[in-house]
Amino acid sequence: IYSCCYLNRRLNQLSRHDPLWKRHCKKYWLISEEEKARQNQGWRAIFISTYCDLGRYIQYYATLKKAWDDLEQYLGQWCPRMISSLKESVREEDLDAVEAQIRCKLPDDYRCSFRIHNGQKLVVPGLMGSMALSNHYRSEDLLDIDTAAGGFQQRLGLKQCLPLTFCIHTGLSQYMALESVEGRNKYEIFYQCPDQMARNPSAIVMFITGTSYLEWFTSYVNKVVTGGYPIIRDQIFRYVHDKDCVATTEDITVSVSTSFLPELSSVHPPHYFFTYRIRIEMSKDALPENICQLESRYWKITNAKGDVEEVQGPGVVGEFPVISPGKVYEYTSCTTFSTTSGYMEGYYTFHCLSNKDRFFNVTIPRFHMVCPTFKVSTA
């Protein structure tokens, strides 16, 4: 008995030893020395008070808080006006009230994220990325909890689905399934697309974009903060660049990034819409006499069945850009496939301005376009 009492007393002393709580505060709550100084409390007191507030999210909080911190830091440097659109955190009782309103439980990773930031205001540009092509424009906001609850679906085809994003230009949303119904997995995230060949208007196709809120949000943030998505006109554009998709001919380098547009695509009938962004750059070390002008383009387009289409024409998007040392020219275009994937390759023909009799071809590297995984609603 004496030994047990001594051991318990010793364990109690250790549990109150403040420096031992420092590691846990940093690991689970990302509390810094500066934050500790501001709170003017010991590590143990900070851990306990934070746990009382956020304890149910202990397995998610550090990951999501770091993602939000990294995103804010990145936006502050590259898209500062987007920072002002972020909303402050919500309270536990606010999330509980939404669950009572929609009569469905919210996943803890989703709740945890909204304890950090309550989405954003309905503004442009949207936090979850933009896309622009000719007269088509999309920019997705991350919905705050009340707006999301107002868009909660109970209709056939989207039963028990909560919108996560919304584009005020296209009406497009990404939804999260709160229950495993109508062929969906619980907490799966997707774009919905009408089945145009079905007689039942509730028949939809779902382009899957995530398996959980945590995976969906953190993978997007990681792509943003590592420079995987380009920043164009103070907006995040969701073009994906394959680092191997680069070709250099003489002093000119061509690279390509691509994106799938679910809002312009269809599974029934098969019509998969992709946009691509091409960057043409002349080395800054090139000689001045190497200045040249793009004359024409040639494309070889191959779908998943092996069907080939060849396209040749003057210029690109109606322009004939001049490329000089260190200069970059970028443009955006699009293509469609009747199959879920395909690829393009080809070349540009340039002529040298200092010697107009000299023409040469510049390789466009092969780039692949693949539709996301999709499934058909069983509604």
Side-chain angles (χ1 to χ4, degrees):
I1 295 175
Y2 174 79
S3 296
C4 288
C5 290
Y6 179 80
L7 179 61
N8 286 337
R9 185 167 67 250
R10 182 59 179 153
L11 288 173
N12 187 49
Q13 290 172 347
L14 284 172
S15 71
R16 294 180 178 278
H17 185 59
D18 200 62
L20 292 178
W21 293 91
K22 177 180 178 179
R23 177 175 174 272
H24 295 297
C25 284
K26 292 191 171 185
K27 177 181 178 181
Y28 295 109
W29 312 127
L30 303 187
I31 303 294
S32 63
E33 298 279 357
E34 294 76 12
E35 177 64 22
K36 175 183 180 293
R38 281 195 296 271
Q39 293 195 30
N40 195 28
Q41 295 185 80
W43 291 112
R44 181 174 181 272
I46 290 175
F47 183 91
I48 291 173
S49 64
T50 308
Y51 186 86
C52 289
D53 184 31
L54 298 166
R56 70 182 289 179
Y57 310 123
I58 195 166
Q59 63 177 313
Y60 304 116
Y61 184 83
T63 302
L64 286 165
K65 183 67 165 66
K66 183 178 186 306
W68 273 112
D69 288 348
D70 290 347
L71 184 58
E72 286 188 77
Q73 183 179 359
Y74 184 85
L75 294 178
Q77 181 178 1
W78 299 103
C79 306
R81 66 191 179 113
M82 206 180 288
I83 291 282
S84 61
S85 73
L86 300 182
K87 303 182 79 171
E88 296 296 325
S89 62
V90 295
R91 303 168 301 169
E92 279 294 289
E93 48 264 43
D94 298 323
L95 295 167
D96 293 339
V98 165
E99 288 186 340
Q101 175 186 339
I102 66 176
R103 298 180 181 180
C104 221
K105 289 290 185 183
L106 300 170
D108 275 351
D109 52 356
Y110 176 85
R111 290 179 61 118
C112 180
S113 182
F114 282 72
R115 291 300 315 275
I116 301 167
H117 273 298
N118 182 21
Q120 67 173 143
K121 303 168 187 173
L122 286 177
V123 295
V124 174
L127 183 68
M128 304 309 292
S130 300
M131 185 58 62
L133 182 68
S134 184
N135 60 350
H136 180 79
Y137 178 71
R138 180 184 85 220
S139 189
E140 290 183 65
D141 293 305
L142 180 65
L143 294 177
D144 64 61
I145 188 65
D146 290 328
T147 307
F152 180 69
Q153 298 293 317
Q154 283 287 27
R155 62 186 174 90
L156 283 177
L158 284 175
K159 194 171 184 180
Q160 293 178 310
C161 289
L162 184 78
L164 299 182
T165 70
F166 180 70
C167 170
I168 60 177
H169 298 277
T170 63
L172 185 71
S173 287
Q174 292 186 68
Y175 286 91
M176 177 169 61
L178 297 187
E179 296 294 342
S180 298
V181 294
E182 299 180 339
R184 289 179 288 273
N185 296 325
K186 195 173 185 178
Y187 304 143
E188 204 164 45
I189 297 169
F190 61 92
Y191 286 110
Q192 61 101 359
C193 167
D195 186 333
Q196 297 177 21
M197 298 180 70
R199 294 182 179 180
N200 187 343
S202 65
I204 66 165
V205 176
M206 298 163 285
F207 292 107
I208 310 302
T209 57
T211 57
S212 70
Y213 183 88
L214 182 75
E215 179 265 333
W216 174 79
F217 183 73
T218 56
S219 61
Y220 173 75
V221 170
N222 181 64
K223 183 72 74 172
V224 171
V225 302
T226 57
Y229 292 140
I231 303 298
I232 306 170
R233 297 186 298 278
D234 204 27
Q235 300 179 62
I236 302 165
F237 273 72
R238 280 165 39 191
Y239 283 103
V240 177
H241 172 62
D242 180 353
K243 293 182 180 179
D244 294 327
C245 191
V246 177
T248 299
T249 305
E250 297 187 18
D251 294 312
I252 299 177
T253 297
V254 178
S255 59
V256 188
S257 54
T258 63
S259 185
F260 173 71
L261 272 64
E263 69 272 29
L264 299 180
S265 299
S266 167
V267 173
H268 302 122
H271 178 86
Y272 303 96
F273 194 104
F274 297 88
T275 177
Y276 54 89
R277 185 173 180 83
I278 294 190
R279 177 185 174 95
I280 306 172
E281 179 177 12
M282 179 176 280
S283 168
K284 63 181 179 181
D285 299 323
L287 297 175
E289 54 263 34
N290 289 348
I291 295 176
C292 54
Q293 185 170 25
L294 193 153
E295 284 284 319
S296 63
R297 69 193 185 280
Y298 165 78
W299 287 112
K300 181 181 178 183
I301 306 168
T302 308
N303 69 16
K305 294 179 181 178
D307 300 329
V308 176
E309 178 187 1
E310 295 182 275
V311 177
Q312 195 159 10
V316 288
V317 292
E319 297 182 354
F320 299 84
V322 174
I323 305 296
S324 57
K327 184 176 180 181
V328 174
Y329 175 79
E330 293 181 293
Y331 75 93
T332 300
S333 191
C334 61
T335 190
T336 60
F337 290 100
S338 60
T339 56
T340 56
S341 64
Y343 62 87
M344 294 175 63
E345 58 195 323
Y347 59 81
Y348 299 116
T349 299
F350 281 84
H351 76 264
C352 187
L353 294 186
S354 62
N355 179 4
K356 294 195 175 183
D357 292 329
R358 180 174 179 256
F359 290 81
F360 61 98
N361 294 334
V362 171
T363 299
I364 305 170
R366 177 181 292 187
F367 56 97
H368 293 262
M369 289 157 282
V370 181
C371 168
T373 301
F374 63 84
K375 59 175 67 174
V376 179
S377 169
T378 59

